[in-house]
């Protein structure tokens, strides 16, 4: 996140002496926010809506536990802001993460262990990113390296999954993609299922689908999706569902973006609170249904329900 460094928040705490559990919880809260210590009992953060909310929560917890707490807003001049921002330099943390990435082999023999370790690297990166209020080259390099490792491992875990292509999705008009034949690999899973649902629900309501045993047999007049060489596939950091959102101007729909985050997490990794539950439901559907048309119908109903919940929480 990039913030305005003109205003800062200073939290001054006297932690409760009789409640070790509360002291530890408050200390962990300060650490998770990435606070910089000015002195004992005084911590600093640049002001954002998120940092204010986080610090206000810690103030309330400290007082409820019997300690004292004050949250002050500081208006800093240029020299002060420069000194303060230097306290949040994450260069060394990114260097440590990059060093661990350099020692990670996505082609290691034990792919399960490799997958678990890569998820640890992903969590470390996301935690660091949340605490990086002044991102620079370290963040860019770490993100690029992590995406490369994830793409390599995904190709081993799911050898038929498409590789990520460079570039950005092209912007397209919905009117040019009506009553089309769309084709993807058979035996639907999360990205293909969600993409087919998205196509029929938001892009081409009269879409006809072909489920391919071999992508080489894709009809010449069909719009392929979610395989290498398809019209719509993984581009940049986007999985196919997210590529379709961007291509057809659907990224302004917050509910679709939340579904996209779930699809991304289940397809190539990442965090989405609802992902585990959606994965369990999909596994149940797959256990009952072998026909892809029937799977799309029932899986689409589940996605309809998710969309309704995300639209009207």
């Amino acid at each position: 996140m990039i913030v305005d460094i003109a205003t800062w928040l200073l939290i001054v705490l006297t932690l409760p002496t009789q409640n070790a559990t509360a002291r530890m919880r408050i200390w962990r809260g300060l650490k998770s926010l990435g606070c910089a210590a000015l002195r004992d009992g005084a911590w600093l953060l640049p002001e954002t809506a998120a940092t204010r909310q986080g610090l206000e929560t810690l103030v309330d917890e400290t007082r409820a536990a019997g300690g004292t707490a004050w949250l002050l807003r500081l208006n800093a001049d240029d020299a002060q802001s420069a000194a303060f921002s230097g306290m949040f330099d994450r260069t060394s943390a990114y260097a440590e993460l990059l060093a661990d990435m350099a020692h990670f082999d996505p082609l290691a023999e034990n792919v399960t262990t490799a997958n678990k370790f890569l998820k640890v690297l992903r969590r470390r990166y996301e935690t660091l990113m949340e605490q990086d209020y002044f991102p620079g080259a370290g963040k860019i390099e770490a993100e690029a390296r992590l995406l490369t490792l994830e793409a390599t491992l995904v190709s081993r875990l799911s050898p038929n999954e498409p590789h990520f292509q460079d570039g950005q999705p092209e912007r397209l008009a919905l009117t040019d993609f009506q009553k089309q034949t769309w084709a993807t690999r058979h035996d639907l899973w999360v990205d293909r299922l969600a993409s087919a649902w998205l196509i029929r629900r938001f892009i081409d309501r009269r879409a006809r689908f072909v489920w391919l045993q071999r992508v080489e047999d894709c009809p010449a007049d069909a719009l392929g999706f979610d395989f290498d060489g398809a019209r719509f596939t993984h581009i940049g950091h986007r999985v196919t569902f997210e590529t379709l959102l961007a291509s057809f101007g659907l990224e302004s729909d917050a509910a679709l973006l939340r579904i996209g985050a779930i699809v991304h997490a289940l397809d190539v990794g990442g965090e989405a609170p609802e992902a585990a539950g959606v994965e369990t439901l999909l596994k149940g559907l797959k256990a009952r249904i072998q026909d892809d048309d029937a799977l799309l119908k029932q899986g689409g109903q589940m996605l309809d329900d998710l969309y309704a919940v995300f639209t009207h929480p």
Side-chain angles (χ1 to χ4, degrees):
M1 69 187 74
I2 301 175
V3 299
D4 179 3
I5 60 174
T7 56
W8 299 79
L9 296 174
L10 178 67
I11 186 171
V12 182
L13 303 176
T14 301
L15 298 177
T17 58
Q18 303 300 320
N19 192 333
T21 300
R23 289 201 308 272
M24 181 59 67
R25 185 173 62 250
I26 294 163
W27 180 83
R28 286 175 176 169
L30 294 167
K31 184 177 180 182
S32 69
L33 288 170
C35 295
L38 287 183
R39 46 160 293 174
D40 289 345
W43 289 268
L44 185 73
L45 279 178
E47 183 178 23
T48 69
T51 56
R52 175 169 286 280
Q53 181 180 7
L55 292 177
E56 287 176 345
T57 298
L58 292 178
V59 167
D60 292 340
E61 289 186 6
T62 302
R63 292 173 178 171
T68 60
W70 301 94
L71 183 59
L72 308 174
R73 187 171 188 267
L74 306 179
N75 291 312
D77 60 29
D78 290 345
Q80 290 173 323
S81 287
F84 289 162
S85 61
M87 301 172 69
F88 295 88
D89 185 356
R90 309 300 190 202
T91 301
S92 61
Y94 280 117
E96 292 177 6
L97 179 58
L98 284 164
D100 289 341
M101 288 182 185
H103 289 96
F104 171 72
D105 181 8
L107 301 178
E109 181 176 353
N110 192 323
V111 67
T112 301
T113 300
N115 188 39
K116 290 180 179 178
F117 188 69
L118 186 56
K119 289 182 177 180
V120 171
L121 292 175
R122 162 59 69 176
R123 287 194 293 271
R124 283 177 57 190
Y125 167 75
E126 291 177 349
T127 298
L128 181 56
M129 182 179 64
E130 289 174 358
Q131 299 175 354
D132 188 7
Y133 298 101
F134 310 101
K139 175 186 179 299
I140 296 172
E141 185 177 358
E143 180 178 31
R145 178 59 179 160
L146 185 59
L147 288 173
T148 298
L149 293 175
E150 288 174 337
T152 302
L153 189 58
V154 163
S155 68
R156 294 185 64 199
L157 292 168
S158 304
N160 293 323
E161 286 295 312
H163 298 81
F164 282 89
Q165 307 298 316
D166 293 333
Q168 294 293 325
E170 57 180 329
R171 292 302 299 268
L172 303 168
L174 288 171
T175 54
D176 295 334
F177 290 83
Q178 300 304 300
K179 301 180 183 180
Q180 299 295 310
T181 297
W182 302 73
T184 192
R185 293 170 291 133
H186 76 115
D187 192 23
L188 298 179
W189 184 236
V190 57
D191 199 10
R192 281 164 283 148
L193 174 62
S195 294
W197 168 80
L198 180 72
I199 290 165
R200 183 165 281 169
R201 175 77 188 274
F202 293 93
I203 297 171
D204 181 3
R205 291 188 177 274
R206 298 187 181 181
R208 174 179 173 268
F209 290 104
V210 175
W211 316 119
L212 303 170
Q213 296 288 334
R214 301 190 323 141
V215 296
E216 295 83 357
D217 296 330
C218 181
D221 61 344
L223 296 168
F225 63 97
D226 203 48
F227 59 86
D228 284 337
R231 177 71 183 272
F232 302 98
T233 187
H234 293 195
I235 298 179
H237 65 279
R238 296 175 171 90
V239 297
T240 301
F241 184 92
E242 295 168 311
T243 295
L244 288 164
L245 290 182
S247 295
F248 291 100
L250 298 172
E251 290 181 310
S252 59
D253 189 322
L256 289 179
L257 287 180
R258 289 187 65 179
I259 293 174
I262 296 171
V263 174
H264 188 107
L266 293 179
D267 199 42
V268 297
E271 298 294 330
E274 306 86 358
V278 171
E279 182 178 29
T280 299
L281 291 173
L282 284 178
K283 287 180 178 178
L285 289 174
K286 292 276 288 182
R288 291 192 299 108
I289 303 169
Q290 283 71 52
D291 179 76
D292 284 324
D293 288 308
L295 184 62
L296 175 57
K297 182 177 180 180
Q298 293 204 28
Q301 290 175 349
M302 180 191 69
L303 291 166
D304 284 338
D305 292 338
L306 272 179
Y307 182 75
V309 169
F310 291 158
T311 303
H312 305 289

